[in-house]
Amino acid sequence: MSHRYKRSEEMLQRAERTIPLGSQTFSKSKTQYPYGVSPYFIQRAKGCRVWDVDGNEYIDFVNSLAAVTLGYNDPDVTAAVRAQLEEGVIFSLPHPIEMQVAEKIVEMVPCAEKVRFAKNGSDATAGAIRLARAHTGRDRVAVCGYHGWQDWYIGSTARNRGVPQVTRDLTHTFTYNDIESLHRLFKEWPDQIAAVILEPMNVTEPKNGFLEAVRELTHKNGALLVFDETITGFRFANGGAQEYFGVTPDLATFGKGLANGYPLSVVAGKAEIMRLMEEVFFSFTFGGETLSLAAAQATLHKLQTQPVVERLYAQGKKVLEGLRALVEKHQVSHLVAVAGNPVWSFFVINDAAPYSQWEIKTFYLQEMFARGILTLGTHNMSFSHDDHDIARLLAAYDEVLPLLKQVVEQQQLRERLHCRPLEPLFRVR
Ligand SMILES: Cc1ncc(COP(=O)(O)O)c(C=O)c1O
């Protein structure tokens, strides 16, 4: 048992007696936080600071898997939720706030003429796909990126246990920035693909008009284009990546940045398509839950009235530029790279014989957590990261990069790990 994470580890052992993996979210479990060098439970958070159950403080660059854009416990969001709580959480009929938040989204997001709410990103992507299938009368879908836990998508990954083969057979993957890979799918399944769904961007920028080409090819083949903006929405721009890149899809899904951590997701799109939602079954008890809608209203208001996205970019650029300079300073560009958009950037680790990227990543996490930085290899920026927080992050990298280089070059990595390395995980980005 490690001294620094003693209570976390005790709690994990207890939690695992009643909860498989001890967590509700794969990416918050020991599959991603190596056992022995990681915290497992957070007690409280404020801004970009979080405190684990052992009392260790961190600057959080995970931000609840990018769900938190303003910062934890944002005073305006908390006040809006408190006020709504007094009125009620859920009723036997919709509350007017559903319509008010829908109107706000229509105002902000280019493709949004009509809007439906849900809880998780996976609800929204599954709803968009069912809608696209109903609209086109076709069954197959083309996917690129991560789109959630539901059968229609996860069946296309290596984590496909429990998904029927008949469902898996309907989902086909194509490669980002490789328009030919999408061409091939349309050639192989002519007039059968209902939707092309992709994250408009994750690790790499779109090249050579990729997004425009995807839209053209998709429409030429009678399919619908769906942007999965679960992460990029309300982060790349107030109108999401579709506004940022100037490419408007038919439908889009949103999840994480919408309500600063409250469970709310959205399917939005052109009215003529969304109207079919009156017939498609997309309906759940908590779809109109008002605390999350109040949180969204306050979050969207803040996005519109304060320079939130500008600050995410400004601070994120300092991270990217600072980290690139450190990679150069420590001459580790053969081991690691920096990629992504400033508001959601990636620390990419390569294999370096005899070590796999997973072993190196485990060492990186061990050392970052020990220095009070919570990251899973991405920098999910929030409005509350100030210059001091960025300086702390870069100071940690300034210490960890030369260590990484040393343990790899001197082949001491396994001896210097205080835990078992992470198992290779399925990759979708
Ligand atoms: C791009 C994208 N789509 C869909 C999802 C699924 O969202 P959720 O986990 O809220 O169901 C995620 C979650 O990480 C995501 O990043």
Side-chain angles (χ1 to χ4, degrees):
M1 185 149 291
S2 68
H3 179 66
R4 181 174 160 84
Y5 307 110
K6 185 169 178 293
R7 291 208 69 204
S8 258
E9 291 174 6
E10 284 167 358
M11 279 191 190
L12 180 62
Q13 283 173 16
R14 178 173 159 194
E16 283 193 289
R17 284 187 223 129
T18 50
I19 300 171
L21 274 185
S23 167
Q24 309 310 318
T25 310
F26 200 71
S27 301
K28 298 182 186 180
S29 75
K30 63 181 185 183
T31 64
Q32 312 247 4
Y33 287 86
Y35 188 86
V37 298
S38 306
Y40 288 102
F41 294 89
I42 301 286
Q43 191 68 53
R44 67 195 167 89
K46 179 79 194 140
C48 64
R49 303 285 161 132
V50 303
W51 289 268
D52 71 14
V53 288
D54 287 278
N56 301 307
E57 181 181 324
Y58 306 82
I59 303 171
D60 191 349
F61 286 89
V62 184
N63 276 307
S64 291
L65 306 170
V68 170
T69 39
L70 299 176
Y72 292 99
N73 201 357
D74 178 84
D76 298 322
V77 174
T78 302
V81 170
R82 281 216 174 96
Q84 184 59 47
L85 187 58
E86 293 297 323
E87 222 166 58
V89 180
I90 190 146
F91 313 95
S92 310
L93 289 169
H95 184 282
I97 198 171
E98 287 185 33
M99 163 184 81
Q100 291 157 3
V101 177
E103 286 167 0
K104 185 61 74 190
I105 291 167
V106 167
E107 187 185 313
M108 292 171 81
V109 175
C111 82
E113 292 171 1
K114 281 183 180 284
V115 172
R116 280 293 312 270
F117 295 111
K119 289 282 128 207
N120 294 283
S122 301
D123 303 342
T125 54
I129 292 306
R130 184 175 295 171
L131 177 60
R133 283 172 163 161
H135 182 79
T136 57
R138 300 171 175 184
D139 287 345
R140 295 184 189 277
V141 290
V143 303
C144 175
Y146 177 69
H147 306 299
W149 75 272
Q150 301 265 9
D151 282 7
W152 73 269
Y153 168 71
I154 207 69
S156 70
T157 73
R159 279 264 164 185
N160 58 13
R161 289 195 67 177
V163 181
Q165 187 65 46
V166 283
T167 304
R168 291 170 51 194
D169 289 346
L170 296 176
T171 302
H172 309 281
T173 55
F174 66 101
T175 310
Y176 196 78
N177 272 336
D178 178 0
I179 194 72
E180 267 312 304
S181 67
L182 184 59
H183 254 297
R184 279 197 293 277
L185 292 185
F186 277 118
K187 258 189 230 145
E188 197 175 349
W189 311 106
D191 302 328
Q192 294 179 54
I193 295 181
V196 172
I197 181 167
L198 74 159
E199 291 179 79
M201 176 179 169
N202 49 51
V203 184
T204 41
E205 296 268 344
K207 290 197 189 88
N208 306 322
F210 177 67
L211 296 176
E212 289 85 349
V214 167
R215 182 174 57 186
E216 197 187 321
L217 187 59
T218 301
H219 287 165
K220 206 173 96 193
N221 286 279
L224 294 186
L225 178 62
V226 185
F227 276 178
D228 179 351
E229 296 229 40
T230 305
I231 291 187
T232 55
F234 307 102
R235 179 175 280 278
F236 273 44
N238 281 356
Q242 55 192 278
E243 178 188 322
Y244 182 74
F245 292 119
V247 179
T248 306
D250 301 303
L251 297 173
T253 61
F254 298 88
K256 306 205 188 207
L258 189 59
N260 201 44
Y262 284 80
L264 190 69
S265 63
V266 159
V267 185
K270 295 194 176 135
E272 55 163 310
I273 304 166
M274 287 295 291
R275 208 167 287 126
L276 199 54
M277 276 292 200
E278 293 180 7
E279 291 170 37
V280 167
F281 201 79
F282 186 70
S283 170
F284 10 74
T285 306
F286 296 114
E289 173 268 308
T290 61
L291 298 186
S292 301
L293 287 163
Q297 197 170 41
T299 304
L300 299 180
H301 180 73
K302 208 152 179 169
L303 279 166
Q304 284 190 312
T305 53
Q306 295 195 32
V308 175
V309 168
E310 286 91 323
R311 188 170 163 87
L312 298 185
Y313 275 98
Q315 299 305 80
K317 265 194 195 125
K318 288 175 198 164
V319 171
L320 274 178
E321 283 163 16
L323 186 48
R324 285 204 173 108
L326 290 173
V327 168
E328 194 152 309
K329 170 180 164 189
H330 296 294
Q331 303 190 346
V332 285
S333 59
H334 57 299
L335 286 177
V336 300
V338 189
N341 182 289
V343 302
W344 176 34
S345 64
F346 295 77
F347 181 68
V348 183
I349 298 173
N350 304 321
D351 292 327
Y355 304 117
S356 73
Q357 56 180 286
W358 300 106
E359 288 173 297
I360 303 171
K361 182 171 182 184
T362 309
F363 183 79
Y364 157 76
L365 295 180
Q366 165 183 301
E367 298 302 321
M368 295 302 270
F369 298 160
R371 287 166 176 76
I373 302 291
L374 206 58
T375 173
L376 284 173
T378 64
H379 316 106
N380 307 336
M381 303 307 294
S382 90
F383 192 45
S384 47
H385 284 126
D386 66 19
D387 284 352
H388 175 70
D389 302 316
I390 311 286
R392 284 262 314 266
L393 173 74
L394 293 174
Y397 273 113
D398 202 12
E399 290 177 11
V400 172
L401 291 180
L403 274 183
L404 259 185
K405 184 177 180 189
Q406 185 196 354
V407 297
V408 170
E409 281 180 0
Q410 299 180 1
Q411 301 207 356
Q412 295 171 340
L413 191 140
R414 285 176 196 134
E415 299 78 74
R416 298 281 291 275
L417 269 186
H418 308 312
C419 61
R420 296 229 317 266
L422 291 170
E423 300 283 327
L425 290 162
F426 78 114
R427 294 204 82 130
V428 284
R429 296 191 172 107

PDB file of all heavy atoms in Angstrom, residues 65 119-123 125 146-149 199 228 230-231 256 429, ligand 1:
ATOM      1  N   LEU A  65     -13.110  14.574 -17.518  1.00  0.00           N
ATOM      2  CA  LEU A  65     -13.116  14.122 -18.916  1.00  0.00           C
ATOM      3  C   LEU A  65     -13.675  15.214 -19.824  1.00  0.00           C
ATOM      4  O   LEU A  65     -14.482  14.958 -20.718  1.00  0.00           O
ATOM      5  CB  LEU A  65     -13.886  12.798 -19.052  1.00  0.00           C
ATOM      6  CG  LEU A  65     -13.380  11.701 -18.100  1.00  0.00           C
ATOM      7  CD1 LEU A  65     -14.322  10.506 -18.088  1.00  0.00           C
ATOM      8  CD2 LEU A  65     -11.966  11.267 -18.476  1.00  0.00           C
ATOM      9  N   LYS A 119     -29.097  12.824 -21.433  1.00  0.00           N
ATOM     10  CA  LYS A 119     -28.227  12.899 -20.249  1.00  0.00           C
ATOM     11  C   LYS A 119     -26.744  12.710 -20.573  1.00  0.00           C
ATOM     12  O   LYS A 119     -25.907  13.512 -20.205  1.00  0.00           O
ATOM     13  CB  LYS A 119     -28.664  11.850 -19.222  1.00  0.00           C
ATOM     14  CG  LYS A 119     -29.971  12.170 -18.557  1.00  0.00           C
ATOM     15  CD  LYS A 119     -29.776  13.238 -17.482  1.00  0.00           C
ATOM     16  CE  LYS A 119     -30.723  14.380 -17.643  1.00  0.00           C
ATOM     17  NZ  LYS A 119     -30.292  15.642 -17.141  1.00  0.00           N
ATOM     18  N   ASN A 120     -26.419  11.610 -21.256  1.00  0.00           N
ATOM     19  CA  ASN A 120     -25.011  11.322 -21.575  1.00  0.00           C
ATOM     20  C   ASN A 120     -24.747  11.574 -23.057  1.00  0.00           C
ATOM     21  O   ASN A 120     -25.680  11.516 -23.874  1.00  0.00           O
ATOM     22  CB  ASN A 120     -24.685   9.864 -21.274  1.00  0.00           C
ATOM     23  CG  ASN A 120     -24.758   9.575 -19.792  1.00  0.00           C
ATOM     24  OD1 ASN A 120     -23.863   9.912 -19.039  1.00  0.00           O
ATOM     25  ND2 ASN A 120     -25.852   8.982 -19.378  1.00  0.00           N
ATOM     26  N   GLY A 121     -23.480  11.753 -23.386  1.00  0.00           N
ATOM     27  CA  GLY A 121     -23.115  11.874 -24.795  1.00  0.00           C
ATOM     28  C   GLY A 121     -23.598  10.667 -25.595  1.00  0.00           C
ATOM     29  O   GLY A 121     -24.064  10.803 -26.737  1.00  0.00           O
ATOM     30  N   SER A 122     -23.525   9.488 -24.970  1.00  0.00           N
ATOM     31  CA  SER A 122     -23.941   8.259 -25.669  1.00  0.00           C
ATOM     32  C   SER A 122     -25.427   8.267 -26.021  1.00  0.00           C
ATOM     33  O   SER A 122     -25.822   7.723 -27.049  1.00  0.00           O
ATOM     34  CB  SER A 122     -23.668   7.039 -24.795  1.00  0.00           C
ATOM     35  OG  SER A 122     -22.305   6.951 -24.482  1.00  0.00           O
ATOM     36  N   ASP A 123     -26.247   8.865 -25.159  1.00  0.00           N
ATOM     37  CA  ASP A 123     -27.685   8.971 -25.488  1.00  0.00           C
ATOM     38  C   ASP A 123     -27.838   9.787 -26.768  1.00  0.00           C
ATOM     39  O   ASP A 123     -28.642   9.464 -27.641  1.00  0.00           O
ATOM     40  CB  ASP A 123     -28.464   9.740 -24.404  1.00  0.00           C
ATOM     41  CG  ASP A 123     -28.358   9.161 -23.029  1.00  0.00           C
ATOM     42  OD1 ASP A 123     -27.984   7.995 -22.907  1.00  0.00           O
ATOM     43  OD2 ASP A 123     -28.658   9.895 -22.064  1.00  0.00           O
ATOM     44  N   THR A 125     -25.593  10.511 -29.203  1.00  0.00           N
ATOM     45  CA  THR A 125     -25.097   9.909 -30.454  1.00  0.00           C
ATOM     46  C   THR A 125     -26.024   8.776 -30.892  1.00  0.00           C
ATOM     47  O   THR A 125     -26.334   8.650 -32.082  1.00  0.00           O
ATOM     48  CB  THR A 125     -23.650   9.395 -30.302  1.00  0.00           C
ATOM     49  OG1 THR A 125     -23.572   8.511 -29.180  1.00  0.00           O
ATOM     50  CG2 THR A 125     -22.664  10.533 -30.124  1.00  0.00           C
ATOM     51  N   TYR A 146     -14.479   8.441 -31.149  1.00  0.00           N
ATOM     52  CA  TYR A 146     -15.185   7.747 -30.077  1.00  0.00           C
ATOM     53  C   TYR A 146     -16.596   8.302 -29.986  1.00  0.00           C
ATOM     54  O   TYR A 146     -16.786   9.518 -30.036  1.00  0.00           O
ATOM     55  CB  TYR A 146     -14.452   7.966 -28.742  1.00  0.00           C
ATOM     56  CG  TYR A 146     -15.169   7.331 -27.574  1.00  0.00           C
ATOM     57  CD1 TYR A 146     -15.244   5.956 -27.454  1.00  0.00           C
ATOM     58  CD2 TYR A 146     -15.795   8.108 -26.605  1.00  0.00           C
ATOM     59  CE1 TYR A 146     -15.930   5.360 -26.397  1.00  0.00           C
ATOM     60  CE2 TYR A 146     -16.477   7.530 -25.546  1.00  0.00           C
ATOM     61  CZ  TYR A 146     -16.537   6.157 -25.449  1.00  0.00           C
ATOM     62  OH  TYR A 146     -17.214   5.576 -24.410  1.00  0.00           O
ATOM     63  N   HIS A 147     -17.589   7.416 -29.845  1.00  0.00           N
ATOM     64  CA  HIS A 147     -18.969   7.903 -29.812  1.00  0.00           C
ATOM     65  C   HIS A 147     -19.802   7.306 -28.689  1.00  0.00           C
ATOM     66  O   HIS A 147     -21.022   7.372 -28.745  1.00  0.00           O
ATOM     67  CB  HIS A 147     -19.644   7.655 -31.164  1.00  0.00           C
ATOM     68  CG  HIS A 147     -18.879   8.215 -32.327  1.00  0.00           C
ATOM     69  ND1 HIS A 147     -18.619   9.564 -32.459  1.00  0.00           N
ATOM     70  CD2 HIS A 147     -18.279   7.616 -33.387  1.00  0.00           C
ATOM     71  CE1 HIS A 147     -17.903   9.762 -33.557  1.00  0.00           C
ATOM     72  NE2 HIS A 147     -17.681   8.598 -34.137  1.00  0.00           N
ATOM     73  N   GLY A 148     -19.142   6.665 -27.692  1.00  0.00           N
ATOM     74  CA  GLY A 148     -19.893   6.248 -26.516  1.00  0.00           C
ATOM     75  C   GLY A 148     -20.053   4.749 -26.363  1.00  0.00           C
ATOM     76  O   GLY A 148     -19.509   3.960 -27.134  1.00  0.00           O
ATOM     77  N   TRP A 149     -20.850   4.373 -25.349  1.00  0.00           N
ATOM     78  CA  TRP A 149     -20.884   2.977 -24.908  1.00  0.00           C
ATOM     79  C   TRP A 149     -21.936   2.125 -25.604  1.00  0.00           C
ATOM     80  O   TRP A 149     -21.961   0.915 -25.427  1.00  0.00           O
ATOM     81  CB  TRP A 149     -21.087   2.916 -23.392  1.00  0.00           C
ATOM     82  CG  TRP A 149     -22.477   3.224 -22.923  1.00  0.00           C
ATOM     83  CD1 TRP A 149     -22.977   4.462 -22.624  1.00  0.00           C
ATOM     84  CD2 TRP A 149     -23.547   2.306 -22.709  1.00  0.00           C
ATOM     85  NE1 TRP A 149     -24.288   4.362 -22.243  1.00  0.00           N
ATOM     86  CE2 TRP A 149     -24.674   3.042 -22.283  1.00  0.00           C
ATOM     87  CE3 TRP A 149     -23.668   0.921 -22.831  1.00  0.00           C
ATOM     88  CZ2 TRP A 149     -25.904   2.459 -21.987  1.00  0.00           C
ATOM     89  CZ3 TRP A 149     -24.912   0.335 -22.537  1.00  0.00           C
ATOM     90  CH2 TRP A 149     -26.011   1.100 -22.122  1.00  0.00           C
ATOM     91  N   GLU A 199     -15.931  12.825 -34.893  1.00  0.00           N
ATOM     92  CA  GLU A 199     -15.505  13.959 -34.093  1.00  0.00           C
ATOM     93  C   GLU A 199     -14.858  14.935 -35.077  1.00  0.00           C
ATOM     94  O   GLU A 199     -13.914  14.538 -35.775  1.00  0.00           O
ATOM     95  CB  GLU A 199     -14.458  13.522 -33.066  1.00  0.00           C
ATOM     96  CG  GLU A 199     -14.983  12.642 -31.970  1.00  0.00           C
ATOM     97  CD  GLU A 199     -13.863  12.242 -31.015  1.00  0.00           C
ATOM     98  OE1 GLU A 199     -13.500  13.056 -30.160  1.00  0.00           O
ATOM     99  OE2 GLU A 199     -13.343  11.120 -31.136  1.00  0.00           O
ATOM    100  N   ASP A 228     -20.048  14.666 -34.031  1.00  0.00           N
ATOM    101  CA  ASP A 228     -20.099  14.357 -32.612  1.00  0.00           C
ATOM    102  C   ASP A 228     -19.260  15.403 -31.892  1.00  0.00           C
ATOM    103  O   ASP A 228     -18.033  15.315 -31.839  1.00  0.00           O
ATOM    104  CB  ASP A 228     -19.562  12.938 -32.370  1.00  0.00           C
ATOM    105  CG  ASP A 228     -19.583  12.575 -30.892  1.00  0.00           C
ATOM    106  OD1 ASP A 228     -19.845  13.473 -30.057  1.00  0.00           O
ATOM    107  OD2 ASP A 228     -19.326  11.404 -30.578  1.00  0.00           O
ATOM    108  N   THR A 230     -19.409  16.132 -28.715  1.00  0.00           N
ATOM    109  CA  THR A 230     -19.483  15.896 -27.271  1.00  0.00           C
ATOM    110  C   THR A 230     -18.366  16.657 -26.550  1.00  0.00           C
ATOM    111  O   THR A 230     -18.603  17.251 -25.499  1.00  0.00           O
ATOM    112  CB  THR A 230     -19.386  14.389 -26.966  1.00  0.00           C
ATOM    113  OG1 THR A 230     -20.394  13.708 -27.705  1.00  0.00           O
ATOM    114  CG2 THR A 230     -19.585  14.104 -25.483  1.00  0.00           C
ATOM    115  N   ILE A 231     -17.173  16.646 -27.123  1.00  0.00           N
ATOM    116  CA  ILE A 231     -16.070  17.377 -26.486  1.00  0.00           C
ATOM    117  C   ILE A 231     -15.857  18.752 -27.122  1.00  0.00           C
ATOM    118  O   ILE A 231     -15.664  19.747 -26.427  1.00  0.00           O
ATOM    119  CB  ILE A 231     -14.767  16.549 -26.530  1.00  0.00           C
ATOM    120  CG1 ILE A 231     -14.912  15.341 -25.602  1.00  0.00           C
ATOM    121  CG2 ILE A 231     -13.557  17.409 -26.106  1.00  0.00           C
ATOM    122  CD1 ILE A 231     -13.668  14.521 -25.405  1.00  0.00           C
ATOM    123  N   LYS A 256     -20.437  17.366 -23.190  1.00  0.00           N
ATOM    124  CA  LYS A 256     -19.653  17.688 -22.000  1.00  0.00           C
ATOM    125  C   LYS A 256     -19.626  19.159 -21.622  1.00  0.00           C
ATOM    126  O   LYS A 256     -19.760  19.493 -20.466  1.00  0.00           O
ATOM    127  CB  LYS A 256     -18.247  17.165 -22.193  1.00  0.00           C
ATOM    128  CG  LYS A 256     -18.260  15.681 -22.532  1.00  0.00           C
ATOM    129  CD  LYS A 256     -17.006  14.998 -22.170  1.00  0.00           C
ATOM    130  CE  LYS A 256     -16.998  13.593 -22.698  1.00  0.00           C
ATOM    131  NZ  LYS A 256     -16.168  12.709 -21.922  1.00  0.00           N
ATOM    132  N   ARG A 429      -8.780   6.975 -30.802  1.00  0.00           N
ATOM    133  CA  ARG A 429      -8.315   8.262 -31.318  1.00  0.00           C
ATOM    134  C   ARG A 429      -6.843   8.146 -31.674  1.00  0.00           C
ATOM    135  O   ARG A 429      -6.128   7.453 -31.023  1.00  0.00           O
ATOM    136  CB  ARG A 429      -8.445   9.366 -30.273  1.00  0.00           C
ATOM    137  CG  ARG A 429      -9.852   9.665 -29.862  1.00  0.00           C
ATOM    138  CD  ARG A 429      -9.923  10.931 -29.037  1.00  0.00           C
ATOM    139  NE  ARG A 429     -11.308  11.287 -28.825  1.00  0.00           N
ATOM    140  CZ  ARG A 429     -11.946  11.162 -27.657  1.00  0.00           C
ATOM    141  NH1 ARG A 429     -11.301  10.735 -26.591  1.00  0.00           N
ATOM    142  NH2 ARG A 429     -13.211  11.489 -27.550  1.00  0.00           N
TER     143      ARG A 429
HETATM  144  C1  LIG B   1     -16.615  12.404 -28.739  1.00  0.00           C
HETATM  145  C2  LIG B   1     -17.426  11.662 -27.728  1.00  0.00           C
HETATM  146  N1  LIG B   1     -18.608  11.145 -28.067  1.00  0.00           N
HETATM  147  C3  LIG B   1     -19.389  10.487 -27.197  1.00  0.00           C
HETATM  148  C4  LIG B   1     -18.965  10.292 -25.899  1.00  0.00           C
HETATM  149  C5  LIG B   1     -19.842   9.537 -24.944  1.00  0.00           C
HETATM  150  O1  LIG B   1     -20.300  10.396 -23.953  1.00  0.00           O
HETATM  151  P1  LIG B   1     -20.797   9.795 -22.544  1.00  0.00           P
HETATM  152  O2  LIG B   1     -19.614   9.161 -21.901  1.00  0.00           O
HETATM  153  O3  LIG B   1     -21.299  11.014 -21.815  1.00  0.00           O
HETATM  154  O4  LIG B   1     -21.898   8.830 -22.831  1.00  0.00           O
HETATM  155  C6  LIG B   1     -17.733  10.798 -25.479  1.00  0.00           C
HETATM  156  C7  LIG B   1     -17.252  10.582 -24.111  1.00  0.00           C
HETATM  157  O5  LIG B   1     -16.086  10.643 -23.827  1.00  0.00           O
HETATM  158  C8  LIG B   1     -16.935  11.507 -26.416  1.00  0.00           C
HETATM  159  O6  LIG B   1     -15.741  12.001 -26.074  1.00  0.00           O
END
